[in-house]
Amino acid sequence: REINIFNKKLTTVLNNTKPNISFTNQEVAKGQAVLENLGIYNNDQYICFHARDSAYLDSVLKTKDWSYHNYRDSNINNYLLAAEEMANRGYYALRMGALVKGKIQSSHPKVLDYATNGKRTDFNDIFLSSNCRFFLCSDTGISVIPEVFRIPVVYVNWAPILRISTWVLNGLFIFKKFYLKNENRYMSFLEIMNLDFGGIDTNRTFANLNIELIENTPDEIRAVTIEMNERLDGTWQTTKDDEKLQKSFWALFGLDKVKSPNLRIGSDFLR
């Protein structure tokens, strides 16, 4: 019964391909001024990228221990290869974030550290995230903005496989790898799906099972970013083997669950 209710609601969401909210003409003009202030003009396209760290939550309630969310963290520097790849293809790449642990180090003139350059505002966050070519991010709240505005999203360093954003109209996912140190092996997708974590006892769970979470490499992030860009261009080439792997993964996920038809696991990662 619960899955039927969920599927019905999700089907309604997926059938609505246009955002339910929009900017006024005045807000659009304000947003264009923001872009121009960043050096991005009318014919320029850009992507946004973001890696979750603990800086934001730690600033909200300093008296609470938020460390059980740290399994969602990743290193922003591992995203720079993908950002610079897109910059080399002619796009700007904006690093997002309201509060972040540190600046990025990139010498590419089209890779902009918007999160730390003093130009960040709440309005700018919403406008930039809702008008980009696509959004590259980890498991973090800011992904809601492109999802709401029907912008394609590339999700990397994702851990809870069963809690992926099945409602995103156009999305690619790749996951952190779960390494069982006692057994000297990686966990399978199915084993990860059956692992109960995400609450306040997450760190204890991983420690008891001697699990190490391994972030996606810069090359893995670059590969799935290229895939999204080429899918949007209509130049991405898939194979029969790729489609078989996709079907195998989604069979594990649950064939009775509705998902966006354009939600896939990154091809290179899945291979």
Side-chain angles (χ1 to χ4, degrees), residues 51-56 58 70 73 95 99-103 116:
R52 186 202 184 274
D53 61 40
S54 60
Y56 181 79
D58 287 344
N70 290 353
D73 291 357
R95 188 270 188 99
L99 288 171
V100 294
K101 281 190 172 180
K103 296 181 179 181
T116 66

Side-chain angles (χ1 to χ4, degrees), residues 138-152:
S138 57
D139 178 6
T140 180
I142 199 172
S143 65
V144 169
I145 303 172
E147 290 168 1
V148 166
F149 282 92
R150 304 301 196 261
I151 298 295

Side-chain angles (χ1 to χ4, degrees), residues 65-221:
D65 180 10
W66 294 103
S67 64
Y68 67 93
H69 280 282
N70 290 353
Y71 75 92
R72 300 163 55 201
D73 291 357
S74 55
N75 188 339
I76 188 64
N77 292 315
N78 290 336
Y79 295 64
L80 293 182
L81 186 63
E84 291 173 353
E85 173 69 31
M86 291 300 296
N88 288 334
R89 295 183 179 220
Y91 303 94
Y92 284 86
L94 308 183
R95 188 270 188 99
M96 308 296 289
L99 288 171
V100 294
K101 281 190 172 180
K103 296 181 179 181
I104 59 173
Q105 302 297 324
S106 176
S107 59
H108 201 296
K110 287 195 171 185
V111 178
L112 309 179
D113 198 353
Y114 159 77
T116 66
N117 67 5
K119 298 179 180 180
R120 196 213 71 82
T121 68
D122 290 347
F123 172 83
N124 294 356
D125 286 353
I126 302 296
F127 187 85
L128 293 172
S129 302
S130 62
N131 284 277
C132 57
R133 177 170 174 81
F134 61 85
F135 202 111
L136 166 65
C137 64
S138 57
D139 178 6
T140 180
I142 199 172
S143 65
V144 169
I145 303 172
E147 290 168 1
V148 166
F149 282 92
R150 304 301 196 261
I151 298 295
V153 185
V154 178
Y155 306 86
V156 301
N157 285 307
W158 198 271
I161 296 178
L162 291 178
R163 295 203 295 272
I164 59 178
S165 304
T166 51
W167 51 85
V168 64
L169 288 187
N170 191 346
L172 289 173
F173 270 90
I174 62 175
F175 308 106
K176 285 186 176 180
K177 295 173 281 291
F178 286 57
Y179 190 73
L180 290 170
K181 290 187 284 186
N182 288 345
E183 301 181 28
N184 194 29
R185 69 174 179 88
Y186 293 105
M187 295 178 69
S188 68
F189 285 142
L190 186 58
E191 287 175 319
I192 298 170
M193 289 175 178
N194 289 327
L195 183 63
D196 185 17
F197 67 94
I200 59 175
D201 59 346
T202 293
N203 293 333
R204 188 183 309 112
T205 298
F206 290 156
N208 290 341
L209 296 174
N210 214 8
I211 293 174
E212 178 185 1
L213 264 62
I214 299 176
E215 293 185 26
N216 294 132
T217 66
D219 286 329
E220 288 172 340
I221 298 173

Side-chain angles (χ1 to χ4, degrees), residues 16-17 20 23 28 40 49 52 64-65 101 113 119 131 133 152 160 171 179-180 199 203 206 224 242 250 262:
N16 182 16
T17 59
N20 292 328
F23 293 95
V28 170
I40 303 174
F49 68 103
R52 186 202 184 274
K64 181 172 180 177
D65 180 10
K101 281 190 172 180
D113 198 353
K119 298 179 180 180
N131 284 277
R133 177 170 174 81
Y179 190 73
L180 290 170
N203 293 333
F206 290 156
V224 72
D242 286 336
W250 293 112
N262 289 324

